Amino acid sequence: MADGLNPFAILTGASRGIGAAYARLLARRGYDLLLVSRDEMRLTTLSRELETNHRVQAHVFIADLAQPDAAHQLFVESRRYRQTPDMLINNAGFGLYGEFVAQPLPRIQEMLHLHVQTVVESIRLFLPGMIERGSGTIINVASIVGLLPIPYFAEYAATKAFLVSFSEALAEETRDTGVLIQACCPGQTETDFHTSAGFRPTSRISMQTADQVAHVSLAALRNKHPVVTIGWQGRLTALVIKWLPRRFLIRTAGRFIRTAARSGPTA
Ligand SMILES: NC(=O)c1ccc[n+]([C@@H]2O[C@H](COP(=O)([O-])OP(=O)(O)OC[C@H]3O[C@@H](n4cnc5c(N)ncnc54)[C@H](OP(=O)(O)O)[C@@H]3O)[C@@H](O)[C@H]2O)c1
């Protein structure tokens, strides 16, 4: 078991996919962890795996982060272990594909709470302690679609655009404080995300792995870039978004997403 001197990271959406990949990489680097999601069984299994394979403590916090008081509860829970975390990774999220007017309002509200409200409130609660200490890292897992409005994926892309904008602005505000803030912008990644959201990815060629995303994101902390894309796919998409006409891109993206969303989940 750890002696309490390990660095400490809070990781939301740790039960699977990109969150679980971050957890494994951080445990390998000697971080004690607070793993957060709604799935007790998966989190407990992951926690046992990490504690068995590495000299770390992996605590579990079962929480629905789409609930109004979630950030405050997370803050209180984390103080049971450390005054201020060394790292906060806001990764929990889900997708909603299809026409905006066809989406159930409660699901849209859930997304706004999870992707925006809980993230902003968590950062507001944790950041002052990091600034006071003069060190800390916050990673907000956004998406490459946060760089462009996407019809039939509108509210998802807009919440991720919020995270990109918010992270970039905060990174500048905190530039001289010793705190690093990153918006991680994965492209299509092999996780449960697409199946849960009712989307069939059209090509596996451009797919990234959850390990690749977590690895590139953590490695990129060295160069302090506030917005990080993943692999050649991310670099290419960012270039295309920068140079091609915006209206053309939005229409093309809309056509592509509508077709893929109609064909339904892969599983
Ligand atoms: N996969 C992609 O192609 C892709 C691309 C770009 C960005 N992203 C982003 O990457 C992040 C991780 O997604 P993923 O691909 O790893 O998907 P995933 O495998 O579906 O994992 C999503 C994670 O979020 C957690 N979560 C969802 N709703 C929650 C809630 N209300 N409260 C607490 N936890 C919640 C889930 O935990 P429980 O269900 O156990 O609660 C799970 O751990 C998301 O923010 C997503 O938007 C994914």
Side-chain angles (χ1 to χ4, degrees), residues 144 147 185-187 208 229-240:
I144 197 81
L147 305 182
C185 297
Q208 300 161 346
T229 56
I230 313 297
W232 63 266
Q233 303 97 325
R235 279 194 297 279
L236 183 66
T237 312
L239 270 180
V240 165

Side-chain angles (χ1 to χ4, degrees), residues 174-225:
T174 57
R175 186 154 50 96
D176 299 322
T177 65
V179 178
L180 284 178
I181 300 194
Q182 179 194 96
C184 170
C185 297
Q188 284 193 358
T189 308
E190 287 173 33
T191 68
D192 295 343
F193 177 90
H194 307 282
T195 311
S196 313
F199 181 78
R200 183 194 295 270
T202 46
S203 158
R204 300 250 151 218
I205 297 173
S206 59
M207 277 277 195
Q208 300 161 346
T209 66
D211 278 348
Q212 186 188 2
V213 173
H215 181 82
V216 170
S217 163
L218 293 178
L221 291 171
R222 267 198 300 270
N223 61 27
K224 302 184 181 178
H225 283 166

